[in-house]
Amino acid sequence: MALRPHLRHRTADTTDERPGPGARVYAVQRTGAVLVALILLVFGLLGFAGGLDFFSTEGERILGLSSNGLLSTISVVMAVVLLVAAARSPRVTSTIMIVAGTLFLLSALVNLAVLRTSFNILAFEFENVVFSVVVGLLLLTLGAYGRISGHLPEDSPYAHPHAVAEEDDDDLPSTPAEFAAEQAMREAERAVSLHAGTEDQRRRVAAMAQVHSRADRRRVWMSFDEARPLG
């Protein structure tokens, strides 16, 4: 039975114990999204706790920034969006961060133009503008990290966009253990195809040949690790 060649070769600097660059890309993006979300969530909830007027253009101080009820609501909604994105696939996380970063930068420009006017419905002050620029640039940088580059690592979730687009989000690896499993799967299939695989690799590759989806193949591989006796 012919082996499916779609799994890529293992990168030179990756071992079973250390996830490759692709896993680190997602870890950095997910961590950044969660941290920004928590800051926004705390800011928004403190605004609610302070009983701020919803459409006040004056605002009150929350964590050194001016806020009103509308800005508190937007902050909480954005925090929830980032947290949900961080729980999804790498591509969803990256896309949401890039979009959110762009919105923060646009908000900074628009609100800078309406400072000290009756159109300042988010009660922005200059400190808010600076905060929006910093958060916007941070989200854009993290969202683009490991994605917008001419030299992506082989195991990056963005290295082969056409292949990824054909798969469901649920098929993509999302944890360091799953990324490590896919690295090992690629090495095993390559070794078996060259008639140089170990007995364990041959058994695993034969078992994976009985299923078709990427997620199922990964589960089959990881089931061998779970069945392996400790010690």
Side-chain angles (χ1 to χ4, degrees):
M1 181 178 294
L3 296 175
R4 299 202 304 175
H6 74 281
L7 293 177
R8 300 180 293 279
H9 300 323
R10 186 177 213 172
T11 55
D13 62 344
T14 301
T15 66
D16 289 341
E17 291 79 20
R18 184 181 64 185
R24 292 195 293 272
V25 166
Y26 184 35
V28 169
Q29 290 179 335
R30 181 163 56 181
T31 300
V34 170
L35 290 177
V36 172
L38 291 178
I39 293 172
L40 295 176
L41 186 61
V42 170
F43 178 75
L45 293 178
L46 288 177
F48 289 148
L52 303 182
D53 290 337
F54 204 79
F55 291 111
S56 171
T57 58
E58 296 297 329
E60 295 184 21
R61 286 285 173 176
I62 301 292
L63 298 179
L65 301 174
S66 176
S67 183
N68 61 11
L70 179 57
L71 183 57
S72 296
T73 302
I74 293 174
S75 298
V76 171
V77 170
M78 183 61 71
V80 172
V81 170
L82 288 172
L83 289 174
V84 171
R88 299 296 303 278
S89 71
R91 187 167 295 274
V92 171
T93 305
S94 172
T95 301
I96 293 298
M97 293 180 78
I98 291 174
V99 172
T102 302
L103 291 177
F104 267 95
L105 293 178
L106 289 175
S107 173
L109 292 175
V110 171
N111 284 287
L112 180 62
V114 299
L115 284 181
R116 317 298 183 194
T117 72
S118 59
F119 296 102
N120 187 18
I121 60 173
L122 296 181
F124 259 48
E125 293 186 0
F126 187 73
E127 293 83 355
N128 296 71
V129 174
V130 174
F131 178 78
S132 292
V133 170
V134 171
V135 172
L137 290 176
L138 178 62
L139 288 172
L140 279 176
T141 301
L142 292 177
Y145 171 70
R147 180 174 186 173
I148 302 176
S149 170
H151 302 283
L152 299 178
E154 283 296 316
D155 65 336
S156 169
Y158 315 110
H160 301 269
H162 297 298
V164 172
E166 296 174 356
E167 297 176 308
D168 295 331
D169 287 340
D170 291 341
D171 283 345
L172 299 175
S174 60
T175 66
E178 291 181 351
F179 276 105
E182 293 219 353
Q183 293 288 344
M185 289 161 58
R186 289 192 284 272
E187 181 175 312
E189 289 202 326
R190 180 172 181 270
V192 171
S193 68
L194 296 175
H195 305 289
T198 65
E199 180 63 29
D200 179 60
Q201 287 176 322
R202 288 193 291 272
R203 285 199 304 269
R204 293 182 185 228
V205 171
M208 288 192 298
Q210 306 305 312
V211 297
H212 302 289
S213 74
R214 180 174 179 174
D216 287 340
R217 289 164 60 80
R218 187 169 60 244
R219 278 192 288 270
V220 168
W221 179 274
M222 296 178 74
S223 70
F224 278 81
D225 294 326
E226 294 169 357
R228 180 181 297 171
L230 297 177

